[in-house]
Amino acid sequence: MKQRTRTGTAGRGGARRGSRALAAAALTLVAATTLSGCLLPRAHPVILPPSPSPTSSDGYDPDASPSEETGYSPSPAEETYDPDGRSDVRGSDCDFSNSLRQFTYTVSITNPSTTDSFSYDMAVNWMKAKPADGKAYGLHQRSIVVGPGDTETYTAKYTVNQSSIGQFWYTCQITRAHKTRM
């Protein structure tokens, strides 16, 4: 009888059997825990403690709007305005006609209010430019009512009462635009 000797195969076969056994055990463990619900997520109710009131002891509420804190809310009827309406007025085309002996100046008034009409008490002066001594050649005055958001344009005029006018320098100035709510 011949005896055969195996070298190295017993270790490999044993390692294979051990790996297979370990893999089978792991699969069994995963299957068992999945079926029992250990690995499944559970929906537990979340219970939070009651939240403290956002109002502090001094009455300040950080989430309150300004009208809730102060009890005051301005209305559109209380829109404020500056009675000096010169910022609402633009002038253009300052001119003098020798044949008519007349100064002219185009004036545009834009009412910035969306709710109120205003009366503008206007004054336009044609002033000496050289020398700029503060003397006026002429003055035009007019009151004009401008509706909310509207623009009114007119031509201011002043006729010189001299029959002969030589060369002179002049400027046009809007010196008054007093604004009154209607």
Side-chain angles (χ1 to χ4, degrees):
M1 188 180 228
K2 262 188 169 180
Q3 188 177 6
R4 293 186 183 177
T5 308
R6 292 184 168 186
T7 55
T9 57
R12 258 191 253 153
R16 281 186 198 153
R17 273 185 245 123
S19 296
R20 286 183 197 152
L22 184 59
L27 284 174
T28 305
L29 178 63
V30 169
T33 54
T34 301
L35 291 175
S36 70
C38 290
L39 293 180
L40 293 176
R42 293 186 184 204
H44 295 285
V46 177
I47 301 172
L48 298 174
S51 61
S53 170
T55 305
S56 66
S57 61
D58 63 355
Y60 174 73
D61 184 354
D63 296 325
S65 70
S67 63
E68 290 173 339
E69 285 181 24
T70 62
Y72 173 77
S73 177
S75 68
E78 296 178 52
E79 181 178 348
T80 60
Y81 72 95
D82 183 359
D84 182 1
R86 285 181 289 177
S87 62
D88 302 348
V89 181
R90 300 286 177 263
S92 62
D93 302 325
C94 181
D95 197 18
F96 178 78
S97 168
N98 277 324
S99 61
L100 297 174
R101 297 186 331 265
Q102 189 176 63
F103 288 103
T104 57
Y105 193 46
T106 303
V107 178
S108 294
I109 306 165
T110 302
N111 180 354
S113 174
T114 58
T115 58
D116 295 317
S117 293
F118 288 98
S119 174
Y120 290 83
D121 182 25
M122 302 295 302
V124 175
N125 277 15
W126 289 269
M127 306 294 291
K128 286 186 178 182
K130 289 184 181 180
D133 59 5
K135 292 184 181 175
Y137 290 117
L139 171 67
H140 166 87
Q141 297 183 65
R142 178 179 180 179
S143 290
I144 187 166
V145 175
V146 184
D150 289 342
T151 299
E152 296 290 334
T153 302
Y154 73 95
T155 301
K157 297 177 183 178
Y158 178 79
T159 303
V160 178
N161 291 328
Q162 288 177 270
S163 59
S164 173
I165 298 178
Q167 183 178 358
F168 64 97
W169 299 90
Y170 62 96
T171 62
C172 299
Q173 295 179 0
I174 298 169
T175 54
R176 184 180 67 239
H178 184 77
K179 183 176 172 181
T180 307
R181 182 178 279 132
M182 297 301 292

